[in-house]
Amino acid sequence: MHVVVIGAGEVGTSIAGSLSSDHEVVVVDVDEDRAEQLKYEIDVLTIAGDGTTSDIQTAAEVGRADMVIACTDNDQTNLVACGTAKTLGDGFTIARVKSTDFLRTWEGSEGAFGVDFMVCTDLLTAENIVRVIGLPAAIDVDPFASGMVQMAEFEIAEESPMAGQTVAEADRFESLTFVGLFRNGELTIPRGDTGIKAGDRAVVIGSPESVQAFATDVDPRTTPDDADDIVIVGGSEIGYQTARLLGERELQPRIIEQDPDRARWLAEQLPKAVVMEHDATDTEFLSREHVDEADIVVTALRADEKNLLVSVLAKRLGVDRVIAVVDSPDYVTVFEEIGIDIAINPRTVTAEEITRFTYESVAENIAVLENDQAEVLELELTEGCGLVGRPISELVADTDARFVIGAITRDHQLVTPRGDTVLRPGDHVILLVDSDSVGEIASMA
């Protein structure tokens, strides 16, 4: 495909990097220095200029583009860019927005703003937070096969009973497969005798029930779906959407918001939530309101520095699990290194969702792990494709691609893969693939 990406920030750079190996990618950015720098970071053509104008879009050959992705940090810029693209060609347009108002308008009128697919950063981030809350021991959770299968990633703590075990000892659930192990930032495709160490990040794929049972083994102190005392610090759009989604699950989160007008609005919009108007950095207030007894604290303030301070205060008070929204990608590592359990970067979440959509012609679903080191793909196998008709053990032996098949759904039934399992046309296969091998696996499907 000929793909034009408008915006060379973290989202645009991530998307362009994911697509550049298989497609012809042009990146447009108003910052000339950034456009020049990107030429050396990834193999793409770059153009410096205003991506909303027809002159710049014509230079990027939007008229023959198969896809135009507008992902700057400004909602209006992205919408205008998509509208302009529709006047020049018939490429599929994707717009990134933060405002749920734009999303609702677009959902109510097909093709509004000249956008074919809209990605709402704040809503996506809230959905990500809620999935993790539903599985308290996990740092990442994604559903596959219409919810029949879950992929989850867990960090192995020093006190975890799983630290020191082998994969064979840890993987004792019938409908679960241990598909990946990240250690010191490197992916290992695990074998039965692979040892699990504290600090490792383990990736498993299986039925939701087996993944929840595995979570209990990872950290017996947490009980999946039992996190009912949830405090959200910050009534930002992400905080509001998180509380709204939790309310739909019959949970009653507490929200701390300092601004009186915003607090009043939240109380009116969220009848199932308890809204407290106060400064969340006041430790006496936090103690008085028993925030230390919360199962999970979500920090969703609008500034990373305040989120960092409140996250540290929550951990010092004794909160077991803190989820922090981190707007700057440079701060994610800082949050994790000082002991914050999960740091969610909205830009990364958005880039993954757009990348997921661009792969739809190949994969039914996709999740990106550990800064694009690996991907989890859901593939529907067709008659005559290179993956059907052979045992899984032969497929693994006969290809250089690094992959593990984690689950199979066949005729709406879950099949746990084994070495002698033969894949059939119509199977939905969920597998973890080293990012460098995605193209090879996709070509076989």
Side-chain angles (χ1 to χ4, degrees):
M1 295 191 299
H2 178 62
V3 182
V4 177
V5 178
I6 298 172
E10 186 198 354
V11 176
T13 300
S14 176
I15 294 167
S18 297
L19 299 177
S20 60
S21 60
D22 300 311
H23 306 288
E24 178 188 346
V25 179
V26 179
V27 180
V28 177
D29 196 89
V30 70
D31 185 332
E32 187 172 345
D33 291 337
R34 178 58 188 151
E36 184 66 23
Q37 178 187 1
L38 200 60
K39 289 181 183 178
Y40 302 99
E41 291 183 6
I42 52 179
D43 185 20
V44 294
L45 175 66
T46 63
I47 296 175
D50 182 350
T52 66
T53 65
S54 57
D55 287 349
I56 293 297
Q57 289 201 10
T58 299
E61 297 187 80
V62 165
R64 71 175 185 90
D66 299 285
M67 188 173 291
V68 178
I69 302 170
C71 52
T72 73
D73 277 339
N74 185 280
D75 289 2
Q76 287 83 355
T77 297
N78 295 334
L79 297 179
V80 172
C82 287
T84 302
K86 283 299 186 184
T87 69
L88 298 176
D90 59 358
F92 192 91
T93 54
I94 299 176
R96 166 203 177 190
V97 298
K98 294 179 182 178
S99 169
T100 52
D101 290 336
F102 287 135
L103 178 65
R104 283 192 291 269
T105 300
W106 177 78
E107 289 175 336
S109 177
E110 185 177 348
F113 309 115
V115 175
D116 294 314
F117 182 64
M118 186 173 285
V119 177
C120 182
T121 298
D122 291 344
L123 182 57
L124 274 176
T125 304
E127 290 171 343
N128 196 305
I129 292 168
V130 171
R131 282 200 301 270
V132 173
I133 287 174
L135 197 62
I139 58 175
D140 194 8
V141 183
D142 276 293
F144 288 85
S146 301
M148 290 180 61
V149 175
Q150 270 188 348
M151 181 283 297
E153 183 177 0
F154 301 88
E155 183 160 357
I156 310 300
E158 287 187 13
E159 61 272 16
S160 172
M162 206 168 282
Q165 292 183 346
T166 65
V167 167
E169 292 169 334
D171 187 2
R172 58 183 183 81
F173 300 97
E174 181 62 30
S175 56
L176 180 136
T177 304
F178 206 113
V179 295
L181 201 67
F182 290 97
R183 180 176 297 161
N184 299 323
E186 296 294 327
L187 171 66
T188 297
I189 302 296
R191 299 165 52 93
D193 58 358
T194 302
I196 303 171
K197 298 181 179 179
D200 288 352
R201 292 190 169 189
V203 183
V204 298
I205 295 173
S207 68
E209 296 78 16
S210 64
V211 172
Q212 289 189 353
F214 183 86
T216 303
D217 271 15
V218 171
D219 187 353
R221 299 171 304 172
T222 63
T223 304
D225 290 328
D226 196 35
D228 53 8
D229 187 1
I230 302 163
V231 176
I232 300 171
V233 179
S236 62
E237 184 66 18
I238 292 174
Y240 161 70
Q241 293 293 343
T242 301
R244 183 183 64 80
L245 293 171
L246 290 172
E248 291 178 357
R249 296 189 175 198
E250 302 303 320
L251 294 170
Q252 297 178 320
R254 292 182 282 163
I255 306 174
I256 303 173
E257 169 58 46
Q258 188 172 10
D259 180 80
D261 293 335
R262 182 65 176 176
R264 187 178 302 110
W265 183 88
L266 291 167
E268 293 170 352
Q269 298 296 318
L270 300 167
K272 294 183 180 180
V274 176
V275 180
M276 297 174 283
E277 181 195 323
H278 211 283
D279 179 4
T281 63
D282 182 345
T283 54
E284 289 186 7
F285 165 76
L286 297 177
S287 298
R288 187 168 64 249
E289 295 297 332
H290 304 287
V291 171
D292 56 308
E293 298 175 9
D295 297 308
I296 293 175
V297 168
V298 178
T299 60
L301 295 161
R302 293 172 180 81
D304 284 351
E305 293 79 7
K306 286 190 175 181
N307 276 336
L308 182 61
L309 175 57
V310 175
S311 297
V312 171
L313 288 175
K315 293 302 285 187
R316 289 187 64 184
L317 284 171
V319 176
D320 282 338
R321 198 155 180 79
V322 176
I323 301 171
V325 177
V326 186
D327 193 57
S328 170
D330 296 333
Y331 282 6
V332 171
T333 304
V334 175
F335 275 71
E336 292 177 343
E337 286 181 350
I338 65 173
I340 307 308
D341 300 286
I342 301 173
I344 295 179
N345 177 228
R347 288 181 172 85
T348 301
V349 172
T350 304
E352 288 182 6
E353 178 67 12
I354 294 175
T355 301
R356 185 197 320 267
F357 190 83
T358 61
Y359 273 84
E360 271 205 342
S361 61
V362 175
E364 300 285 306
N365 201 351
I366 179 174
V368 181
L369 300 176
E370 297 292 322
N371 298 316
D372 204 19
Q373 287 193 59
E375 297 177 14
V376 178
L377 305 177
E378 178 182 344
L379 305 174
E380 183 176 6
L381 304 186
T382 57
E383 188 75 49
C385 84
L387 295 173
V388 302
R390 301 169 64 196
I392 291 173
S393 57
E394 281 189 16
L395 291 172
V396 173
D398 292 349
T399 179
D400 293 330
R402 300 176 70 206
F403 73 99
V404 181
I405 295 177
I408 303 163
T409 60
R410 179 178 295 161
D411 299 325
H412 306 291
Q413 299 293 320
L414 182 61
V415 176
T416 303
R418 297 289 182 258
D420 59 356
T421 302
V422 178
L423 301 177
R424 302 176 187 173
D427 284 354
H428 283 251
V429 177
I430 297 92
L431 66 165
L432 179 141
V433 189
D434 181 285
S435 290
D436 293 336
S437 303
V438 170
E440 184 176 350
I441 293 297
S443 66
M444 296 173 66

